[in-house]
Amino acid sequence: MLKARTEILHWMAEQVLIEQAAAEMGIVLTDVEVEAALAQIVQDAGGEEAFQAQLERNGLTRQDVWRELRAELVSVAVIEQIVAAVPQTAEHVHARHILTDTREEAERLLAQLQAGADFAELARTYSKDESTRAAGGDLGFFPRGVLLAPEVEDAAFSLQPGQISQVVESSFGFHIVQSIEREPDRALSPETLRWLRDQAVAQWREALWAQATVESYINQSP
């Protein structure tokens, strides 16, 4: 029971924060817009009589639905604005890497590369990254903010085409990174754009709560 109360209070607090953020963004939702959306819900339910029957079965009133619908529409409008701010193009780098379990092995492979060994061939032979090993360690084109190992991403963007990094440590192990080419303004793939938009919304929510001061008092008795 206490958990349910806490979740309800969290939802209510978040809605207040979203309403405030919406106002700061210049988002205005009129009662007419809410009524129009509610009318569509009533129609989808099979008409007014069927809608009222649903309300009774769920212990809700029309005003309950109206309030929840308004909160949902405001949230959608805010998210749409956040998503729209994510650019559809970005600087990309095309890189490849070799992943090893130990620094010693990475240093040994780096010495071979510096002596003229073929990067792709060493990756196919020694890399522990099964998802890229067969392709010679090729990571493809990617923008900032998408690789699971940010250290590899940072190394790739710090290099000029053709350059090879020093040994880079990440939570996955030890990497050697080679930059192949760069494009300053390449279109994001649909998957990457969707992921970056999801990240933008998640980061916005985190910032929303981080900047808020919320006090809740919950009766501990059942």
Side-chain angles (χ1 to χ4, degrees), residues 19-121:
E19 287 274 359
Q20 293 172 349
E24 292 173 0
M25 292 177 175
I27 295 171
V28 177
L29 184 68
T30 66
D31 290 353
V32 172
E33 291 173 293
V34 180
E35 286 294 341
L38 183 56
Q40 184 61 54
I41 291 175
V42 172
Q43 181 180 329
D44 293 342
E48 188 64 39
E49 186 175 340
F51 176 65
Q52 289 297 332
Q54 284 186 7
L55 293 181
E56 291 177 12
R57 284 196 300 270
N58 291 290
L60 297 171
T61 67
R62 190 185 191 91
Q63 189 60 27
D64 291 334
V65 176
W66 195 96
R67 283 195 299 266
E68 290 186 16
L69 179 58
R70 185 184 187 284
E72 180 181 342
L73 291 174
V74 170
S75 296
V76 168
V78 168
I79 290 172
E80 285 178 347
Q81 192 167 125
I82 295 168
V83 164
V86 177
Q88 297 189 41
T89 63
E91 181 183 17
H92 283 62
V93 65
H94 180 193
R96 52 191 170 200
H97 81 137
I98 299 171
L99 173 64
T100 66
D101 291 329
T102 67
R103 179 177 291 277
E104 290 73 22
E105 184 178 12
E107 293 287 0
R108 178 177 62 80
L109 294 175
L110 178 60
Q112 293 183 43
L113 290 168
Q114 292 171 338
D118 183 75
F119 194 104
E121 188 58 39

Side-chain angles (χ1 to χ4, degrees), residues 3-24:
K3 181 179 179 182
R5 292 175 184 172
T6 302
E7 289 176 351
I8 292 171
L9 285 173
H10 183 277
W11 180 84
M12 293 172 64
E14 183 169 85
Q15 288 309 127
V16 171
L17 295 174
I18 290 174
E19 287 274 359
Q20 293 172 349
E24 292 173 0

Side-chain angles (χ1 to χ4, degrees), residues 161-181:
Q163 289 184 330
I164 296 174
S165 72
Q166 296 298 308
V167 174
V168 176
E169 183 176 1
S170 79
S171 60
F172 297 96
F174 299 87
H175 311 255
I176 305 169
V177 182
Q178 182 184 45
S179 171
I180 301 173
E181 54 186 322

